[in-house]
């Protein structure tokens, strides 16, 4: 059974860069047709999609965050990563990694499973 | 930008049917997913492609999508179904989430 395990610092200073990693176990990140995504949730609020990466490194991002985000993949370690630059207080959130399941046709992908989430607080 | 609107809260008695709606312009032309999130936990997929249930999700969960509204229905709602529910769709390769509905089982 596929499992996702996110990791990274829980506290980041304003203007610094957040770096999170998501380790995938129980399956390969390569060649499945699936994308690998980051989604965040500010405390007490809704979900916001950040972006996605394919095993070959192809990416696409939420336009509202594109200028500050980089998502990358390391197939040799079966993990993918998020970097979010110039952090501000509004970036305080639980950051989830998830698999974007390739629906394989005239349909729409979905997210399953999700990792446990990493609470990141932006504060000096 | 495309928006998905959900009623912030819904209350139901145990054993009753819960209906949680998600509205958007011509939403019926898109595929909708639903996620359940219990306090302190990660979201869990309960419906994908409008009406399909992942393995392990009880049959009491069902979904539909037509016109401008998608609906998540829970028949015979149980106390364990108390959670936040989020709808999700795609618009021009961008993921959109609804604001979420808090389901309370009284």
């Amino acid at each position: 059974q596929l499992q996702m395990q996110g990791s990274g610092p829980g506290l980041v200073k304003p203007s610094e860069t957040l770096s999170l990693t998501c380790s995938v176990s129980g399956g390969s990140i390569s060649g499945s047709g699936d994308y690998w995504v980051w989604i965040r949730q500010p405390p007490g609020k809704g979900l916001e999609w950040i972006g996605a990466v394919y095993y070959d490194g192809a990416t696409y991002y939420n336009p509202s965050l594109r200028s500050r985000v980089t998502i990358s993949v390391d197939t040799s370690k079966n993990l993918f990563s998020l970097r979010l630059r110039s952090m501000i207080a509004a970036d305080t959130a639980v950051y989830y990694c998830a698999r974007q399941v390739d629906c394989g046709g005239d349909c729409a992908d979905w997210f399953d499973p999700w990792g446990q989430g990493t609470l990141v607080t932006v504060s000096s | 930008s495309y928006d998905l609107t959900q009623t912030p809260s819904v209350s139901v008695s145990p054993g009753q049917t819960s209906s949680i709606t998600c509205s958007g312009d011509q939403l019926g032309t898109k595929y909708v997913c639903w996620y359940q999130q219990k306090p302190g936990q990660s979201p869990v997929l309960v419906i994908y492609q409008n009406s399909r249930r992942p393995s392990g999700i009880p049959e009491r969960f069902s979904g539909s999508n037509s016109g401008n509204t998608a609906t998540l229905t829970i028949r015979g709602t149980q106390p364990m179904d108390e959670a936040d529910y989020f709808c999700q769709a795609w618009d021009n390769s961008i993921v959109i989430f609804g604001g979420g509905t808090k389901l309370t089982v009284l």
Side-chain angles (χ1 to χ4, degrees), chain A residues 13-84:
Chain A
K13 290 182 169 57
S15 81
E16 292 191 342
T17 296
L18 170 67
S19 294
L20 296 176
T21 297
C22 185
S23 297
V24 178
S25 59
S28 174
I29 207 168
S30 304
S32 63
D34 298 327
Y35 276 78
W36 306 91
V37 306
W38 290 96
I39 295 165
R40 69 181 183 178
Q41 184 175 34
K45 297 188 177 180
L47 300 165
E48 180 180 33
W49 174 75
I50 299 171
V53 64
Y54 198 53
Y55 78 95
D56 65 358
T59 55
Y60 62 113
Y61 301 126
N62 186 327
S64 69
L65 296 169
R66 182 178 292 135
S67 64
R68 297 195 291 134
V69 173
T70 301
I71 299 176
S72 58
V73 63
D74 186 335
T75 55
S76 67
K77 296 180 180 178
N78 219 39
L79 59 81
F80 61 106
S81 301
L82 167 72
R83 285 174 56 84
L84 182 60

